[in-house]
Amino acid sequence: MENLIRPVIVVGGSVLLTVLIGWATDLLLRKADARHGETPLWGLLRRGRIPYQLVLCAALLRGSYDQAKLLEDHRTGVGQALTLVLIGSVAWLVIRIAAAVVETSYSRYARVHRDPARVRRVRTQVSLIMRVVSAVVGVMAVAAMLLTFPAMRAAGASLLASAGILGIVAGVAAQSTLSNMFAGLQIAFGDMVRIGDTVVVDGEWGTVEEITLTFLTVRTWDERRITMPVSYFTSKPFENWSRGTPQMTGIVYFHVDHTAPVDVMREKLRDILRACPAWDGRACGLDVTDTTPNTMQVRALVTAKDADDIWKVRVTVREQMVRWLAKEHPYALPRVNTADATPPPARLPGQSSSSDGAAARHP
């Protein structure tokens, strides 16, 4: 009977104690979250309650397993498994706590600073820092798990002896990967591009959606995702419309007939912009910038507070101006000239070619 009751008491007590401690800790975190609503730290820490309970349960079982007298023939294997679970759950808990602290710091910064560019820069840095922390903790946890096996400890000396050669081989083999990782850190802390920035890459206009240590994702205006290595942004030129101030100036070109009423078009442009909510009111203008034998080129200049609004202003001006010209001034639209050529003036009777040359020399 003792052999049956002892394992039940040890295992059941460990599980029950884990549940009670986990419930009490979660209750304290909920009360702290309700009391301190200005910070999300306590609510974010509650996300770690599962790895926290795993740590407690694994630690209690690992410490009391010898007293349970259960599966004594497999004591070494069970102890090894509990140790691995304990290491993995500790790493999981550390990552959750670090994520809560970093996210809380970012939330406080975003609440205090109203500059969107600075907030996006910090957001990019925070996301990359969390990826680095997760990678470091994961590698350390795997290394700790491997070191629990005696065979791995015995092989450590031989591995250290060949570490120099392996490092050179790994460096050559992973040259592109390492360059992308360093490029990711350079982007994060060099403020070159940030999450949420509007960029133009290889003629594609879009918004930076994700930045990792090795790749960057751009979401285009038509909902496509372009994924490219981060080293691209450190080695090739690209347009960043969000760097500095997000205000932008846009241009709309019209090809109209030479008889088009430019002054009236200028007044109509002002009327269109006054009725357009996306126009920020900074500047507007309309000028003739070029002519051809059949048309003249008119440029409308408009402004807006960011890239999305400048697109709305441009399409609105283009649509309403063309519609207004077609309705009110149809003669101003481009036409194909099919009239006969005008003949040269007729010569007067008795006028010779020599007189033409004299006239040309003496007007």
Side-chain angles (χ1 to χ4, degrees):
M1 182 65 68
E2 181 182 357
N3 294 333
L4 179 62
I5 296 177
R6 183 190 297 269
V8 173
I9 294 176
V10 172
V11 176
S14 299
V15 174
L16 181 61
L17 188 59
T18 298
V19 173
L20 290 176
I21 296 176
W23 174 80
T25 305
D26 188 64
L27 180 62
L28 293 176
L29 289 176
R30 280 185 292 177
K31 290 183 177 180
D33 187 33
R35 189 179 300 111
H36 303 282
E38 72 281 357
T39 175
L41 176 62
W42 308 110
L44 293 173
L45 286 176
R46 294 188 62 224
R47 297 178 181 177
R49 57 183 180 273
I50 294 179
Y52 175 67
Q53 292 178 352
L54 280 177
V55 170
L56 290 176
C57 187
L60 291 174
L61 289 176
R62 186 68 181 87
S64 61
Y65 180 74
D66 292 338
Q67 305 298 326
K69 306 294 183 179
L70 181 65
L71 300 176
E72 294 186 356
D73 295 336
H74 304 281
R75 178 182 303 175
T76 303
V78 174
Q80 184 77 21
L82 290 175
T83 302
L84 295 178
V85 172
L86 180 60
I87 294 174
S89 56
V90 167
W92 189 7
L93 180 61
V94 169
I95 292 175
R96 287 294 177 89
I97 294 176
V101 174
V102 171
E103 185 68 23
T104 301
S105 302
Y106 167 72
S107 300
R108 290 178 178 175
Y109 186 89
R111 188 167 55 249
V112 173
H113 296 81
R114 300 298 180 182
D115 186 2
R118 296 179 63 183
V119 172
R120 287 199 303 269
R121 180 184 64 186
V122 173
R123 179 185 174 189
T124 303
Q125 295 174 353
V126 163
S127 63
L128 289 177
I129 288 174
M130 272 309 306
R131 293 180 186 276
V132 172
V133 170
S134 300
V136 171
V137 172
V139 170
M140 293 179 62
V142 172
M145 290 179 180
L146 292 177
L147 290 176
T148 58
F149 295 93
M152 297 302 298
R153 291 197 298 267
S158 60
L159 289 176
L160 290 175
S162 60
I165 299 176
L166 290 177
I168 296 175
V169 174
V172 174
Q175 182 177 4
S176 60
T177 302
L178 292 175
S179 64
N180 280 327
M181 292 181 62
F182 285 114
L185 295 175
Q186 184 179 354
I187 286 177
F189 296 97
D191 198 23
M192 299 174 59
V193 62
R194 300 152 298 197
I195 295 175
D197 281 2
T198 301
V199 297
V200 178
V201 182
D202 285 341
E204 295 284 352
W205 176 87
T207 304
V208 178
E209 187 176 53
E210 182 182 7
I211 299 178
T212 68
L213 288 177
T214 55
F215 67 88
L216 184 147
T217 302
V218 177
R219 178 172 55 87
T220 61
W221 64 272
D222 54 355
E223 302 299 331
R224 291 181 292 118
R225 266 70 175 180
I226 301 176
T227 302
M228 56 188 62
V230 292
S231 59
Y232 177 95
F233 291 86
T234 59
S235 59
K236 295 183 180 180
F238 64 95
E239 296 183 30
N240 189 343
W241 293 2
S242 301
R243 188 169 180 82
T245 60
Q247 297 173 343
M248 296 196 66
T249 299
I251 295 175
V252 182
Y253 287 105
F254 299 99
H255 292 274
V256 296
D257 191 76
H258 293 101
T259 59
V262 178
D263 293 335
V264 182
M265 291 178 63
R266 193 172 288 117
E267 293 296 330
K268 181 61 179 177
L269 174 65
R270 296 192 184 98
D271 294 339
I272 294 173
L273 293 176
R274 292 190 189 101
C276 181
W279 182 53
D280 62 357
R282 287 189 296 121
C284 69
L286 190 140
D287 301 287
V288 178
T289 56
D290 197 6
T291 58
T292 66
N294 296 321
T295 62
M296 64 179 179
Q297 186 184 70
V298 179
R299 184 195 69 183
L301 186 142
V302 295
T303 59
K305 64 181 178 64
D306 54 29
D308 291 334
D309 282 355
I310 200 65
W311 171 261
K312 297 176 184 177
V313 175
R314 292 176 62 194
V315 296
T316 300
V317 169
R318 186 181 295 111
E319 177 183 350
Q320 296 190 18
M321 184 67 75
V322 171
R323 185 188 304 166
W324 174 76
L325 287 174
K327 181 179 179 181
E328 302 293 337
H329 303 278
Y331 62 89
L333 297 177
R335 299 190 302 272
V336 177
N337 192 354
T338 59
D340 295 334
T342 304
R347 294 179 179 177
L348 298 175
Q351 188 176 11
S352 62
S353 59
S354 58
S355 62
D356 290 341
R361 289 192 298 271
H362 304 283

